[in-house]
Amino acid sequence: MSTGAQAVVDAGGEALTRVMERVERRMAELATGHGPVLARYAGDTIAAGGKRLRPLLVCIAAGAPPPETDGLVRAAVAVELVHGATLVHDDVLDGSALRRGRPTVVASGGRALATATGDLLFSRAFAELAGGGSAGAVRVLSRASRELALGELAQRADVFDTEVSVTRYLHRCRLKTAVLFRAACELGALEADGGDPDALGDFGERIGLAFQILDDVLDVSGPPERTGKPRGADLLDGTVTLPLILARERDPELAELDVRTVRTAADAAVVCDQITDTGALATARARAQELVAHAKLELPPLPARQRAALELAADVMVERFA
Amino acid sequence: MSTGAQAVVDAGGEALTRVMERVERRMAELATGHGPVLARYAGDTIAAGGKRLRPLLVCIAAGAPPPETDGLVRAAVAVELVHGATLVHDDVLDGSALRRGRPTVVASGGRALATATGDLLFSRAFAELAGGGSAGAVRVLSRASRELALGELAQRADVFDTEVSVTRYLHRCRLKTAVLFRAACELGALEADGGDPDALGDFGERIGLAFQILDDVLDVSGPPERTGKPRGADLLDGTVTLPLILARERDPELAELDVRTVRTAADAAVVCDQITDTGALATARARAQELVAHAKLELPPLPARQRAALELAADVMVERFA
């Protein structure tokens, strides 16, 4: 867990710490409880960790301290499993060799195993959630999963398209990332007495959008030691994101750029520098900060401690990239 | 729909016909209701049809005539969507160009789009089922989906392994195919007043096993005009199935065969003839027929009309391959 996420857990006190420990334990059980093949591939994915931001959002959207129910742990685990499934499939599609500094499933097991592993994580997520007995929760996660897949399709449809608008870009970010943050918050709110899934869902969607924008900024700014991937990886994949969209309005040379000509890490570094020189990264960051501010502003009436935890989580989204 | 499946529908009378029409209408809605990208890829998959055996099993497991509930249609659609999702992903893994005589999603849209399309069909299935509000139904389908993925993993793990046992082969068939037939029958039984999901699930699993065995026999026997694929496609993929397992016990030359050396359609045809000459196909067919007989014998007490429909469906599994 990142120091930022740890700060959120600390703010939630012992009850939040205990729930997040239960989430980790359940993830570890799932990583080892399904025979040797799953243990190797799906297990690696689950155990590899990551920041556990989405489970954390589930828990604090349920309250701070959260109610310690089975359903909450199930929901938190299910969201992280869906996240893991999409990462595994994305890595297949991108042919990525490394994620979080470790070999991807597709790199170590091949495309076939990685595709099946993603499917397995996916169905495990729904099994986990359905085990809690809430059809409403399943609906929330299945809608989000469907939108994640549409987001992947949308990104592929837009590949190499430099004419993509900010609106279209944000639509893609919503589908690709923000819908799962929304689902995390909705699922948490569903577990709370008198929770407000719609309002907390809006909060989740806004910070999810900010998260994706800042991730796209980081792809341009680097440094690689921090991101674990070369600068301009999106450009090399043909994915046009907010920094380039904004920079094209400011630099006629970038406006003429055919992304297909960006073939090497060196090419990508040159374009990243050009984008940075336009000031587009600062504008994109500001856009993300506005979204976070808006998310905090529109939070519904909540107990002070829960509000503080959610606001802190929102700030963590931004600080991660500061 | 095949003539066999149509006979089952006819036996179920007007009520079954009406429900199956609703299933088709809902499938058609889903094929066109999700924007141009889904319309093209997922829509093609959904609309391409196939025999609709699994939705039919859902409906007759619920009764003959079945209760005409929303939940029943949702369950039937969900099972077929999961089936479609696994086909799309299997075609990605196998690099298949054709299915049911039409280009596969991976052939027309590439691996990336096909992977995302499968994910989308998958999540759409759970959304459809969860919309009916039954967490029990979601559990049944998510368990089956998870096992389908494990089946795909198991088949990949066994690739080129001629030493695979009949027990291991049947285990793979169960995971790869029979679990979804089981789920179809369980889901139907869950929709019926006083339905017996366990007993009907056992029935579904047995006829699903028979279905897979006979599919594997057909891969060896052909003819290609009927199966829509060259004889020995499994051999060319390195998948060792019951006909070869049995034939190896009878023909020392086949016992020595390294499946990696089967590289062309002509190689595969020679091996298929060798397998046929051992009589292994007849033994495998007999094994499937035993399973179907067992499935019928162990049916729980049911109204005469429903029993007749289920028995007819079981026979259709066998007759398809007669």
Side-chain angles (χ1 to χ4, degrees), chain B:
Chain B
M1 190 174 283
S2 68
T3 50
Q6 190 59 55
V8 178
V9 175
D10 293 345
E14 207 182 321
L16 182 56
T17 305
R18 272 207 309 276
V19 174
M20 287 301 289
E21 282 168 1
R22 282 185 63 195
V23 171
E24 279 305 321
R25 274 203 302 278
R26 183 66 186 142
M27 299 289 285
E29 276 169 32
L30 291 173
T32 57
H34 296 278
V37 183
L38 179 57
R40 172 146 176 223
Y41 294 102
D44 272 9
T45 307
I46 294 171
K51 295 172 290 295
R52 307 291 196 222
L53 287 180
R54 293 158 192 81
L56 185 58
L57 277 179
V58 174
C59 294
I60 60 175
E68 250 199 275
T69 64
D70 243 23
L72 185 60
V73 173
R74 285 179 182 279
V77 167
V79 168
E80 191 71 355
L81 289 173
V82 164
H83 176 54
T86 60
L87 294 186
V88 171
H89 280 181
D90 285 357
D91 288 340
V92 175
L93 303 187
D94 297 334
S96 306
L98 289 175
R99 179 173 291 275
R100 297 169 187 152
R102 302 168 63 142
T104 58
V105 179
V106 64
S108 54
R111 278 201 306 271
L113 268 164
T115 302
T117 300
D119 288 355
L120 199 150
L121 289 169
F122 219 164
S123 47
R124 201 70 203 77
F126 285 99
E128 191 71 11
L129 198 56
S134 161
V138 174
R139 267 196 297 277
V140 166
L141 191 64
S142 56
R143 190 188 60 214
S145 304
R146 183 176 146 259
E147 292 184 320
L148 288 171
L150 286 172
E152 193 60 39
L153 287 176
Q155 182 165 314
R156 306 277 149 191
D158 288 353
V159 73
F160 297 125
D161 183 1
T162 45
E163 301 290 328
V164 77
S165 67
V166 172
T167 306
R168 169 75 183 178
Y169 163 80
L170 289 173
H171 172 68
R172 262 175 23 207
C173 290
R174 198 187 79 75
L175 289 176
K176 195 174 113 174
T177 305
V179 292
L180 197 56
F181 280 73
R182 166 180 279 280
C185 289
E186 286 183 4
L187 288 171
L190 284 172
E191 293 294 326
D193 273 346
D196 184 342
D198 287 343
L200 283 168
D202 287 347
F203 171 83
E205 183 165 325
R206 286 177 184 125
I207 65 173
L209 273 178
F211 182 89
Q212 185 58 53
I213 291 172
L214 290 166
D215 202 46
D216 293 340
V217 169
L218 211 55
D219 186 70
V220 175
S221 69
E225 311 81 80
R226 183 164 164 209
T227 62
K229 54 182 182 178
R231 283 169 69 208
D234 287 338
L235 286 166
L236 290 166
D237 289 339
T239 305
V240 176
T241 65
L242 190 57
L244 178 56
I245 296 169
L246 296 173
R248 288 180 77 248
E249 296 166 5
R250 300 170 187 193
D251 178 341
E253 200 182 312
L254 282 175
E256 295 297 316
L257 176 74
D258 179 350
V259 182
R260 284 183 186 78
T261 63
V262 183
R263 294 216 176 86
T264 66
D267 296 345
V270 169
V271 178
C272 287
D273 287 340
Q274 269 184 289
I275 293 172
T276 307
D277 288 346
T278 66
L281 298 187
T283 310
R285 275 194 203 99
R287 183 97 189 220
Q289 278 155 353
E290 275 165 35
L291 280 160
V292 167
H294 191 184
K296 286 157 54 169
L297 198 68
E298 297 282 328
L299 273 171
L302 288 168
R305 194 163 178 187
Q306 184 178 12
R307 169 180 293 273
L310 287 164
E311 290 184 345
L312 189 56
D315 289 335
V316 162
M317 301 291 125
V318 188
E319 279 164 20
R320 177 185 163 222
F321 307 92

Side-chain angles (χ1 to χ4, degrees), chain A residues 169-178 209 212-213 216:
Chain A
Y169 163 79
L170 289 172
H171 172 69
R172 262 174 23 206
C173 290
R174 199 186 79 76
L175 290 176
K176 196 174 112 174
T177 305
L209 273 177
Q212 185 57 54
I213 291 172
D216 293 341

